[in-house]
Amino acid sequence: AQKITQTQPGMFVQEKEAVTLDCTYDTSDQSYGLFWYKQPSSGEMIFLIYQGSYDEQNATEGRYSLNFQKARKSANLVISASQLGDSAMYFCAMRGYQKVTFGTGTKLQVIP
Amino acid sequence: NAGVMQNPRHLVRRRGQEARLRCSPMKGHSHVYWYRQLPEEGLKFMVYLQKENIIDESGMPKERFSAEFPKEGPSILRIQQVVRGDSAAYFCASSPIGQENTGELFFGEGSRLTVL
């Protein structure tokens, strides 16, 4: 069985500041992938970043970075220099053998 | 290279009618996942299919719901005798062969079902 936990239902961040969205996971799979998706109010799911379980370096994509701590089973998303357009729901997800599980999401609001 | 295509984008049904949601995966993708999202909630896994095979349907309600992914044509999620509680956004996602444990899922824009 695999499980994803996002403990922050909502977060506020000042524009131009950095913010960390928490994600912990549990799995018995040896090989797995961790993702973050953004869902704006328009409803579509936008892929942000991916980390493989065997990747030694933390993934980065522009202003997004994934702080992967395998021993702690955490995969936190860091957004640097927040912008108003970053206001959205953010979902952490894990892909194991034949299964992809999503967390309950964190609603991020960027304050001008 | 078209992305994952879902249709209809919006569907309104009366209680007791049938709803059919279609998903055409990205070209070259043979794995399809269906998720349901209730308002203000996360995505709940429903079913994982490969061409002509249901791999995991552990998230599908036992009654009224069925899914298929034929050799030719789109994947279909079928809901019979809809009830108000079926009102939700239904997302389809696909991935290519050989990435069962890794690689991102490519999502469609979702089909929003409203049951009156």
Side-chain angles (χ1 to χ4, degrees):
Chain A
Q2 58 188 48
K3 186 178 179 182
I4 290 279
T5 302
Q6 292 181 256
T7 57
Q8 305 155 315
M11 291 276 287
F12 289 91
V13 64
Q14 204 77 39
E15 194 178 5
K16 298 178 186 173
E17 296 290 312
V19 64
T20 298
L21 306 184
D22 294 342
C23 173
T24 57
Y25 62 92
D26 194 19
T27 182
S28 54
D29 291 330
Q30 295 300 308
S31 175
Y32 51 89
L34 296 155
F35 312 83
W36 280 89
Y37 286 86
K38 172 184 178 181
Q39 188 178 43
S41 57
S42 50
E44 70 269 32
M45 294 290 288
I46 302 169
F47 168 75
L48 295 178
I49 196 166
Y50 166 78
Q51 178 88 39
S53 58
Y54 289 112
D55 294 340
E56 293 187 353
Q57 290 203 322
N58 286 345
T60 59
E61 290 285 349
R63 294 185 299 110
Y64 304 107
S65 60
L66 199 153
N67 184 1
F68 181 45
Q69 298 189 39
K70 196 170 182 177
R72 292 186 178 183
K73 295 189 174 180
S74 74
N76 298 340
L77 176 71
V78 180
I79 306 175
S80 62
S82 297
Q83 301 172 356
L84 295 178
D86 293 335
S87 294
M89 283 291 289
Y90 288 81
F91 292 99
C92 179
M94 178 173 66
R95 184 169 195 178
Y97 180 65
Q98 294 189 345
K99 209 169 191 77
V100 182
T101 303
F102 283 78
T104 51
T106 296
K107 186 171 184 177
L108 177 67
Q109 291 180 260
V110 180
I111 305 166
Chain B
N1 189 12
V4 178
M5 304 299 291
Q6 287 190 249
N7 67 82
R9 293 289 312 279
H10 300 275
L11 182 64
V12 179
R13 286 286 180 264
R14 296 192 179 280
R15 280 180 297 170
Q17 292 183 318
E18 178 179 289
R20 281 190 182 225
L21 309 177
R22 287 175 290 278
C23 169
S24 296
M26 285 183 70
K27 189 177 180 181
H29 288 195
S30 62
H31 301 227
V32 165
Y33 296 78
W34 282 95
Y35 289 85
R36 176 163 65 175
Q37 186 178 34
L38 296 171
E40 305 299 321
E41 294 189 11
L43 279 78
K44 297 290 188 191
F45 168 77
M46 298 185 75
V47 63
Y48 165 43
L49 310 106
Q50 295 177 15
K51 287 276 187 182
E52 301 184 280
N53 279 312
I54 297 175
I55 305 302
D56 182 351
E57 58 181 346
S58 58
M60 288 275 273
K62 292 284 185 277
E63 297 176 348
R64 302 187 298 109
F65 285 72
S66 62
E68 62 176 7
F69 188 16
K71 187 177 181 181
E72 300 292 336
S75 176
I76 307 280
L77 179 66
R78 183 182 175 207
I79 311 172
Q80 295 178 289
Q81 299 175 333
V82 296
V83 300
R84 288 217 175 104
D86 297 333
S87 295
Y90 292 83
F91 285 93
C92 169
S94 74
S95 72
I97 299 171
Q99 293 194 10
E100 284 83 357
N101 281 41
T102 61
E104 70 178 276
L105 294 187
F106 294 81
F107 276 87
E109 294 185 319
S111 291
R112 279 147 186 86
L113 172 65
T114 301
V115 180
L116 302 178

